[in-house]
Amino acid sequence: EVQLVQSGAEVRKPGESLKISCKGSGYIFVTGSIAWVRQMPGKGLEWMGVISAADSDTNYSPSFEGHVTISADKSINTAYLQWSSLNASDTAIYYCARRGSGSISTFDYWGQGTLVTVSS
Amino acid sequence: QSALTQPRSVSASPGQSVTMSCTGTSSDIGTYNYVSWFQQYPGKAPQLVIYDVTKRPSGVPDRFSGSKSGNTASLTISGLQAADEADYYCCSYAGRYIVIFGGGTKLNVL
């Protein structure tokens, strides 16, 4: 069974750094890509970027490039999303989603989401 | 790239059919047949219900169908059930390895 398991909820202060994770299981990790999707409170889904699990090639939405970093460690089947300096506006649920062998917008399995709260 | 445009809400009664739209541009929906639809219940992760405009993942009932005309994609749910009440999001490839989502449509089953 394909599963994406994300790290737990986090609370940080503005200006602090953070790295959250997404661990894949039940499939060959390097055969897919992992995308990150933001959902701000009461709002819709926003595609942030994607990383190829095989070679760590990344593509970012222009809206997020420069503010977050997406990485992966294929030796432990895990993708990451990190911030070096958080803003209050980063408060949101962050989902990882797998793009398997399908087309670029086919996100067939999703993690349970990680709630990030940024507050002073 | 701007977000795709979806109506904020649609409503229909059990047993009826409902169609919700997702409008993009000639740079995304109009060019690529890479449109997906996701169902999201409150407090839950999204689930894929349609991909590549018309295809259904295994396990998704054939009451769900997708189509596209020009710059607009549509999701139709027939034989509406109370369990279909959820938020629905479309997304499309927009070129240069970028994907964009719509703002979401809340489906009310009256």
Side-chain angles (χ1 to χ4, degrees):
Chain A
E1 178 195 7
V2 174
Q3 281 192 311
L4 297 176
V5 178
Q6 298 185 229
S7 49
E10 302 276 4
V11 180
R12 291 288 187 277
K13 291 180 167 52
E16 292 186 339
S17 62
L18 177 65
K19 190 174 188 177
I20 62 175
S21 66
C22 168
K23 183 174 178 62
S25 64
Y27 73 102
I28 300 173
F29 189 70
V30 295
T31 61
S33 301
I34 297 291
W36 287 94
V37 177
R38 182 176 79 174
Q39 188 166 38
M40 299 176 75
K43 302 297 184 183
L45 305 175
E46 300 172 271
W47 185 84
M48 301 175 70
V50 64
I51 186 165
S52 165
D55 61 11
S56 289
D57 185 34
T58 54
N59 295 98
Y60 293 92
S61 163
S63 299
F64 292 93
E65 187 155 27
H67 185 56
V68 298
T69 300
I70 296 172
S71 61
D73 184 342
K74 61 185 178 184
S75 69
I76 55 171
N77 294 355
T78 300
Y80 302 97
L81 177 66
Q82 68 180 88
W83 297 258
S84 58
S85 180
L86 287 158
N87 303 319
S89 61
D90 292 317
T91 295
I93 296 173
Y94 293 87
Y95 293 101
C96 62
R98 185 189 83 152
R99 174 205 160 191
S101 57
S103 66
I104 195 167
S105 65
T106 303
F107 304 119
D108 56 359
Y109 289 90
W110 292 65
Q112 82 276 21
T114 295
L115 174 62
V116 174
T117 303
V118 183
S119 174
S120 54
Chain B
Q1 296 85 357
S2 299
L4 305 173
T5 300
Q6 297 184 248
R8 289 191 65 102
S9 66
V10 295
S11 299
S13 299
Q16 290 186 330
S17 292
V18 67
T19 297
M20 58 190 78
S21 61
C22 171
T23 301
T25 70
S26 58
S27 298
D28 38 69
I29 292 177
T31 295
Y32 303 102
N33 290 322
Y34 298 141
V35 177
S36 295
W37 290 88
F38 301 89
Q39 177 191 63
Q40 187 181 35
Y41 293 113
K44 300 295 186 183
Q47 289 185 290
L48 180 68
V49 294
I50 293 288
Y51 67 99
D52 293 352
V53 179
T54 62
K55 299 175 182 176
R56 275 179 294 106
S58 61
V60 174
D62 59 6
R63 302 185 297 105
F64 290 78
S65 62
S67 62
K68 187 184 91 166
S69 178
N71 297 337
T72 298
S74 298
L75 173 70
T76 297
I77 309 173
S78 59
L80 268 177
Q81 301 176 1
D84 298 328
E85 186 163 288
D87 293 325
Y88 291 85
Y89 294 91
C90 60
C91 87
S92 174
Y93 181 51
R96 291 183 291 176
Y97 303 101
I98 302 297
V99 172
I100 52 175
F101 278 95
T105 295
K106 180 173 176 53
L107 171 61
N108 297 299
V109 180
L110 305 171

